[in-house]
Amino acid sequence: MAVNFATKRDSAYLTESTLQASEKGEYLVESHNVFTWFPIKGGLFSRTIANVRAVDGVSIGVRRGEVLGLVGESGSGKTTFARTILRLVNPTKGEIFFEGTDITKLKGRKLQQFRRRMQIVFQDPYASLDPRQTVRSTLTEPMKIHHTVQNNREANAAAEKLVESVGLNPDHLARFPHEFSGGQRQRIAVARALAVNPEFLLLDEPTSSLDVSVQAQILNLLRKLQSDYELTYLFISHNLSVIRHLCNRVAVMYLGRVVEISNSDDLFNNPKHPYTFALLSAVPEPDPQTRFKKRAILQGDVPSPIDIPSGCRFRTRCPYATKKCAEEFPPLVEVEPGHWIECHYDIDYKVAKP
Ligand code: SF4
């Protein structure tokens, strides 16, 4: 049914991360064993009585110029991890490197310099734009704060160029957000992120609040901008079709940890972790013959991040769980070159019975 890693590849156990196999300088952004916990206070002296373990030891690297997708159900910790990477939330433990500099140790002006290079586009363009600011000031204000322009004339010229690059026109600069459709607002949000010449863009479900017809336009725009400006993306989504359309590699998150990471084709054609297999089985396919003949149905909800199951955290929902899964934390193993999973077994889904 499955190859048991404990018997087959003791020597191949990796305790920390896929980063150990990387070459120096390969990654623009790296997270090393990052934890983001939120304490719950209680009792007479308001002591910490539990922790919400939103991110629970994530080590991944985003290669320069790639689009790395981050998928998982809601509650898997994707957004908290993304915000931790940008230092919008401070990690409880761990290191985050941007081009070799540990940004968890930076403060004040130095941190602000790195912030310019790492920008975010939020899910909801209705909430993320200031309704009292025109598009012009939405775009020129960050340029002035980060000193990427010398004067107003330069800022206005840059704003005109930016709106054109996202498919709007300079006449739009004088308008307010409420005068635009959802898709146009998201174009403005993308332009604002690009206003300070970043190298890394974190896209947090950028199309999920838009109509399906508009989603494809925004995805195509993001793809074009990535190539025009040589950007690196971390693209967060729960929509696997969107991830497949845009990403070179994909990391799958479950209950605060990355349980599988691989290049996109391998992950979609040959998923190895039972959680990924179940997520992909749930995607409707026009021709079922072309996809997995066997299907896995995810039972129940993601357990609470306050009370994480022992051993493998997916075991309460995994149809292949064994006694060992409850007792031992699964290692991160490279099952094929560049394809890593956090599981005790290498399951062959063609023959394995849940
Ligand atoms: Fe693998 Fe975890 Fe499932 Fe065990 S419970 S088979 S370790 S995913």
Side-chain angles (χ1 to χ4, degrees):
M1 154 238 176
V3 177
N4 184 338
F5 287 125
T7 54
K8 188 189 164 200
R9 40 196 316 173
D10 266 351
S11 59
Y13 273 20
L14 290 178
T15 51
E16 248 200 277
S17 75
T18 57
L19 293 168
Q20 294 178 353
S22 72
E23 285 174 23
K24 206 165 186 292
E26 186 185 358
Y27 295 120
L28 179 65
V29 180
E30 297 167 38
S31 76
H32 287 231
N33 228 3
V34 165
F35 292 76
T36 311
W37 291 6
F38 300 102
I40 298 173
K41 305 276 183 191
L44 196 56
F45 300 106
S46 195
R47 279 196 296 238
T48 300
I49 51 170
N51 283 295
V52 178
R53 292 157 62 176
V55 177
D56 211 27
V58 171
S59 300
I60 55 171
V62 191
R63 293 178 184 145
R64 204 178 288 276
E66 80 167 345
V67 184
L68 176 66
L70 193 58
V71 280
E73 294 164 281
S74 53
S76 59
K78 309 182 295 286
T79 294
T80 307
F81 175 65
R83 282 159 205 236
T84 308
I85 284 211
L86 295 190
R87 287 277 316 269
L88 299 175
V89 175
N90 282 326
T92 310
K93 207 166 79 175
E95 294 162 320
I96 299 159
F97 292 91
F98 186 90
E99 224 177 23
T101 301
D102 182 359
I103 61 166
T104 58
K105 303 209 163 43
L106 298 181
K107 287 190 185 133
R109 217 185 145 89
K110 286 217 166 118
L111 178 60
Q112 202 187 359
Q113 281 168 3
F114 275 91
R115 286 231 166 97
R116 181 196 67 72
R117 301 170 69 188
M118 310 165 81
Q119 292 292 307
I120 184 166
V121 176
F122 293 100
Q123 175 178 353
D124 184 358
Y126 291 86
S128 66
L129 296 173
D130 184 341
R132 294 159 303 177
Q133 282 198 324
T134 60
V135 176
R136 185 183 303 280
S137 57
T138 300
L139 299 184
T140 54
E141 207 166 272
M143 295 177 196
K144 290 172 190 166
I145 291 171
H146 288 281
H147 308 292
T148 58
V149 288
Q150 304 292 332
N151 51 43
N152 281 341
R153 195 171 47 79
E154 259 185 41
N156 285 330
E160 282 182 21
K161 216 170 138 202
L162 263 176
V163 284
E164 282 174 349
S165 72
V166 296
L168 300 172
N169 65 61
D171 292 344
H172 290 130
L173 285 169
R175 300 194 195 167
F176 289 89
H178 72 266
E179 299 176 64
F180 294 94
S181 67
Q184 287 174 319
R185 286 184 205 202
Q186 200 57 308
R187 287 173 192 269
I188 298 165
V190 172
R192 180 184 54 185
L194 295 178
V196 289
N197 307 325
E199 290 141 69
F200 176 69
L201 221 55
L202 209 154
L203 302 157
D204 187 2
E205 306 256 13
T207 58
S208 57
S209 65
L210 304 175
D211 290 347
V212 176
S213 57
V214 182
Q215 284 186 7
Q217 293 170 17
I218 298 293
L219 288 176
N220 289 336
L221 170 70
L222 289 170
R223 196 201 281 255
K224 180 174 181 305
L225 292 172
Q226 194 228 353
S227 128
D228 290 353
Y229 293 95
E230 297 179 346
L231 295 164
T232 302
Y233 287 169
L234 178 60
F235 189 97
I236 296 175
S237 181
H238 63 273
N239 185 331
L240 288 158
S241 310
V242 168
I243 289 277
R244 189 171 203 178
H245 182 71
L246 205 73
C247 300
N248 308 103
R249 286 192 308 139
V250 182
V252 181
M253 248 183 121
Y254 184 78
L255 206 51
R257 286 189 70 84
V258 169
V259 294
E260 180 158 7
I261 184 163
S262 147
N263 77 51
S264 194
D265 285 346
D266 276 355
L267 189 119
F268 282 97
N269 295 324
N270 188 20
K272 291 288 189 181
H273 194 281
Y275 178 56
T276 314
F277 183 69
L279 285 181
L280 291 175
S281 310
V283 177
E285 279 292 323
D287 177 6
Q289 295 303 318
T290 60
R291 295 291 288 167
F292 315 112
K293 296 228 168 67
K294 289 177 81 74
R295 293 197 165 264
I297 294 167
L298 267 178
Q299 307 281 359
D301 294 323
V302 182
S304 164
I306 300 171
D307 188 17
I308 289 178
S310 64
C312 172
R313 60 192 59 209
F314 185 55
R315 72 177 168 81
T316 53
R317 301 171 81 197
C318 179
Y320 306 97
T322 63
K323 191 164 167 275
K324 178 180 178 175
C325 302
E327 290 166 355
E328 293 176 31
F329 193 91
L332 184 69
V333 182
E334 190 174 27
V335 278
E336 276 162 24
H339 193 154
W340 301 75
I341 59 168
E342 201 172 79
C343 177
H344 288 301
Y345 306 105
D346 186 0
I347 297 163
D348 181 350
Y349 297 104
K350 291 194 191 80
V351 295
K353 287 204 173 62

